[in-house]
Amino acid sequence: GENVEQHPSTLSVQEGDSAVIKCTYSDSASNYFPWYKQELGKRPQLIIDIRSNVGEKKDQRIAVTLNKTAKHFSLHITETQPEDSAVYFCAATGRRALTFGSGTRLQVQP
Amino acid sequence: KAGVTQTPRYLIKTRGQQVTLSCSPISGHRSVSWYQQTPGQGLQFLFEYFSETQRNKGNFPGRFSGRQFSNSRSEMNVSTLELGDSALYLCASSIGQPNTEAFFGQGTRLTVV
């Protein structure tokens, strides 16, 4: 089955800096890659997703890139703000349900 | 449009007991997936139901089971509870087509003592 690895497990940045979270996947059939943000005590919420026919997607301060050949995808957050502090999960799916990475705890220091 | 609703929000059970968790998906969604979330293991996939049929299954023991009703509501049952079953159980609903967004419920926090 699919295996998704996510790095780093924790990330601390200063407000205004950029943050990058990287994931790799194993199943070449995977073609949908969402990113979820989970604030403390809340449900995971989708913040951006990308499909395999696209190499990059942006939404304001958030962008995701996908390299199908290398089987990795990344989340980029620019101009980080304290409210970006949360746990971020990457996921991949193709033929089965979503497989999630282990999560990255992002802390933005004011 | 109402979101995904999970009940109950909190449960405390004793080892050896069984428990049933409920998930009501977004209206019109036919797929419900269940995940176990623990601090050390992240989000682990349990199973997915689509149109009352189990479509996918994760690597959990047979003590974990589920079902889906004709109105797409889903229940998850855990029998012979163990201390290690303490976790946040999340369900996610989607329309069920490939590559579509999954919406999560707030979860049920299960504590086994």
Side-chain angles (χ1 to χ4, degrees), chain A residues 69-89:
Chain A
T69 303
K71 292 184 195 169
H72 68 70
F73 55 114
S74 301
L75 177 72
H76 304 252
I77 305 174
T78 59
E79 300 173 21
T80 53
Q81 300 167 6
E83 51 265 39
D84 294 330
S85 296
V87 179
Y88 292 81
F89 292 96

Side-chain angles (χ1 to χ4, degrees), chain B residues 1 9 11 49 69 78 81 98 112:
Chain B
K1 201 175 198 182
R9 291 291 312 279
L11 267 177
Y49 285 86
F69 302 95
V78 188
L81 283 165
V112 182

Side-chain angles (χ1 to χ4, degrees), chain A residues 30-34 36 38 41-47 49 51-52 87 89 93-103, chain B residues 3-5 9 33 35 37 39-43 45 48 55-58 88 90 98-107:
Chain A
S30 287
N31 52 16
Y32 176 60
F33 308 91
Y36 284 82
Q38 187 176 29
K42 296 190 176 180
R43 71 188 80 191
Q45 292 198 300
L46 181 78
I47 56 171
D49 57 13
R51 291 171 175 78
S52 60
V87 179
F89 292 96
T93 185
R95 293 168 287 193
R96 294 174 59 88
L98 287 170
T99 299
F100 285 86
S102 54
Chain B
V4 181
T5 303
R9 291 291 312 279
S33 297
Y35 294 85
Q37 185 173 29
Q41 298 296 320
L43 285 155
F45 171 68
E48 181 206 5
R55 188 159 71 170
N56 288 297
K57 189 177 187 304
L88 179 67
L90 291 159
N99 309 335
T100 55
E101 182 178 355
F103 296 82
F104 281 89
Q106 290 184 297

Side-chain angles (χ1 to χ4, degrees), chain B:
Chain B
K1 201 175 198 182
V4 181
T5 303
Q6 290 188 246
T7 56
R9 291 291 312 279
Y10 303 93
L11 267 177
I12 299 177
K13 289 286 187 179
T14 305
R15 273 183 302 175
Q17 287 187 313
Q18 73 167 11
V19 67
T20 299
L21 313 181
S22 178
C23 174
S24 293
I26 292 171
S27 178
H29 284 193
R30 296 167 63 190
S31 168
V32 174
S33 297
W34 288 89
Y35 294 85
Q36 181 193 66
Q37 185 173 29
T38 56
Q41 298 296 320
L43 285 155
Q44 301 291 312
F45 171 68
L46 283 152
F47 28 66
E48 181 206 5
Y49 285 86
F50 179 80
S51 293
E52 302 179 65
T53 301
Q54 188 180 85
R55 188 159 71 170
N56 288 297
K57 189 177 187 304
N59 298 319
F60 277 79
R63 301 184 297 108
F64 292 81
S65 63
R67 60 178 176 169
Q68 187 179 35
F69 302 95
S70 58
N71 62 357
S72 294
R73 188 178 70 87
S74 177
E75 287 183 348
M76 189 191 96
N77 185 76
V78 188
S79 62
T80 320
L81 283 165
E82 300 176 358
L83 296 179
D85 297 333
S86 295
L88 179 67
Y89 290 88
L90 291 159
C91 75
S93 82
S94 74
I95 61 173
Q97 298 303 314
N99 309 335
T100 55
E101 182 178 355
F103 296 82
F104 281 89
Q106 290 184 297
T108 294
R109 172 76 62 187
L110 172 65
T111 302
V112 182
V113 297

